[in-house]
Amino acid sequence: MSKRILVTGGAGFLGSHLCERLVDAGHMVICLDNLYTSQKLNITRLLERSNFEFVRHDVTEGFKFEVDEIYNLACPAAPGHYQHNPIKTMKTSVLGTMHAMGLGRRVGAKVLQASTSEVYGDPDVHPQPESYRGSVNPIGPRACYDEGKRAAEAIMFDYRRAHQCRIKVVRIFNTYGPRMHPFDGRVVSNFVRQAVAGEPITIYGDGTQSRSFCFVDDLIDGMIGVMDTPDEFTGPINLGNPMEFTIRELAEKVVAIAGAGASIELARPLPQDDPKQRCPDIALAKQVLGWTPKVDLEAGLRKTIDWFRSVDLSQYRAPTPNY
Ligand code: NAD
Ligand code: UDP
């Protein structure tokens, strides 16, 4: 059955893939975005589709649409971007979620919040299950994002307790793939852009810190799967790939696959509060959704590298100087 679906942040990396999937499934999709960290380029092909609409709007201001489901993705996600204007990042998380939930409450729509593994901070439990309450520095440079997302989760659950709203909270771990902003400063986009250009690969710190990388197609499968769960299921639920790699291993893989012969350099010290390790415990997603990621890092990197080679980087404006 065709649904009316609002995707905030729908022009971004994950949002554009999500919109594409929902449009292809025949739903009426409204993509709401202020294009802070993305460009219309991501949705150019969707703009031709009759069941897709783009609305340029900032979620810190209220919005009203008659919809059945809301995916709330609007928020800068790359550390350099969210730290560039931290107060705006906090407003986006908090006010954006209040507005999404206010709308969800009025029209009875299900609301899915794109939360993050950053709610676990620099974790001292490994891998991280949903029951882990995290180790976040509330006054550090990442707090605008980490605490903003934690506040957003609190808002979701308060709306449910106070008004019986239909909510879903997904905690997304590092996800990569085609249509990442080439100048977002995240590790995969940086390494791939650098390797393709034959520039040195910039490792921060000594490269022993770890992350687990999920290919975007797997993540979107999981996200839609969570939205489709019965109303009793609220999450939070981890979505990510449990295969863990050090940043040095990632750099070596990118160089090997890109075949570029780029050098690897220790470019600068580890940024403050940069988590030393991160890996999702996805037992809940396996149990509730029967979901596990299918695309391994090598296959996903090949697709990502192919995409970076296929685009004209001069068409992309760096959203902030931090990349
Ligand atoms: P992205 O930066 O590509 O997308 C975010 C989108 O939100 C952009 O299109 C941006 O223009 C828009 N936006 C930002 N502030 C806005 C505002 N005030 N009003 C309206 N639109 C606004 O990042 P992404 O990787 O696609 O992330 C999407 C969501 O998923 C974010 O909420 C992010 O926190 C979450 N997430 C992503 C990852 C990941 O690895 N990609 C991991 C954890 C969580
Ligand atoms: N990183 C790096 N080189 C880069 C960009 C990032 O070594 O050019 C490191 C960063 O310090 C962190 C990891 O890669 O340890 C992942 O960074 P990213 O910004 O992608 O996301 P995070 O998981 O920290 O939110």
Side-chain angles (χ1 to χ4, degrees), residues 8-17 31-39 42 54-61 63 72-78 81-82 88-89 91-93 96 113-118 145 149 170-176 179-181 184 186 212-214 216 219 223 239 278 317 319:
T8 77
F13 161 51
L14 296 182
S16 64
H17 284 274
C31 162
L32 182 152
D33 202 299
N34 69 353
L35 301 180
Y36 174 38
T37 57
S38 59
Q39 300 186 198
N42 279 350
F54 172 65
V55 179
R56 190 165 185 160
H57 181 81
D58 192 309
V59 294
T60 60
E61 306 287 339
F63 42 89
N72 188 36
L73 272 61
C75 188
H81 290 347
Y82 67 65
K88 180 63 192 261
T89 299
K91 281 185 179 168
T92 296
S93 263
Q113 168 66 8
S115 190
T116 168
S117 52
E118 284 286 317
Y145 183 72
K149 290 285 188 178
V170 297
R171 293 183 179 154
I172 303 168
F173 285 64
N174 297 59
T175 301
Y176 70 99
R179 292 211 288 269
M180 296 188 87
H181 198 296
D184 69 11
R186 287 189 263 200
S212 313
F213 299 99
C214 186
V216 60
L219 196 278
M223 213 190 252
L239 292 179
R278 190 192 277 155
R317 176 190 50 83

Side-chain angles (χ1 to χ4, degrees), residues 191-192 195-196 252-262 301-302 305 309:
F191 286 4
V192 169
V196 166
E252 286 163 356
K253 267 192 192 299
V254 169
V255 171
I257 297 168
L301 284 176
R302 280 185 199 286
I305 290 168
R309 286 206 169 111

Side-chain angles (χ1 to χ4, degrees), residues 76-87:
H81 290 347
Y82 67 65
Q83 290 174 33
H84 181 64
N85 188 344
I87 296 166

Side-chain angles (χ1 to χ4, degrees), residues 229-283:
T229 53
D231 283 352
E232 308 79 66
F233 183 77
T234 57
I237 181 167
N238 289 339
L239 292 179
N241 192 317
M243 292 297 293
E244 186 180 353
F245 296 89
T246 66
I247 294 304
R248 177 169 283 280
E249 286 169 336
L250 174 72
E252 286 163 356
K253 267 192 192 299
V254 169
V255 171
I257 297 168
S263 62
I264 295 178
E265 66 176 34
L266 301 182
R268 56 170 106 144
L270 205 59
Q272 187 190 332
D273 294 340
D274 196 293
K276 284 179 279 307
Q277 51 178 11
R278 190 192 277 155
C279 179
D281 177 334
I282 59 164

Side-chain angles (χ1 to χ4, degrees), residues 79 142 174 186-187 190-191 202 204 209 211 247 274 278:
R142 297 174 84 103
N174 297 59
R186 287 189 263 200
V187 69
N190 268 9
F191 286 4
T202 54
Y204 304 160
Q209 72 272 31
R211 294 292 187 274
I247 294 304
D274 196 293
R278 190 192 277 155

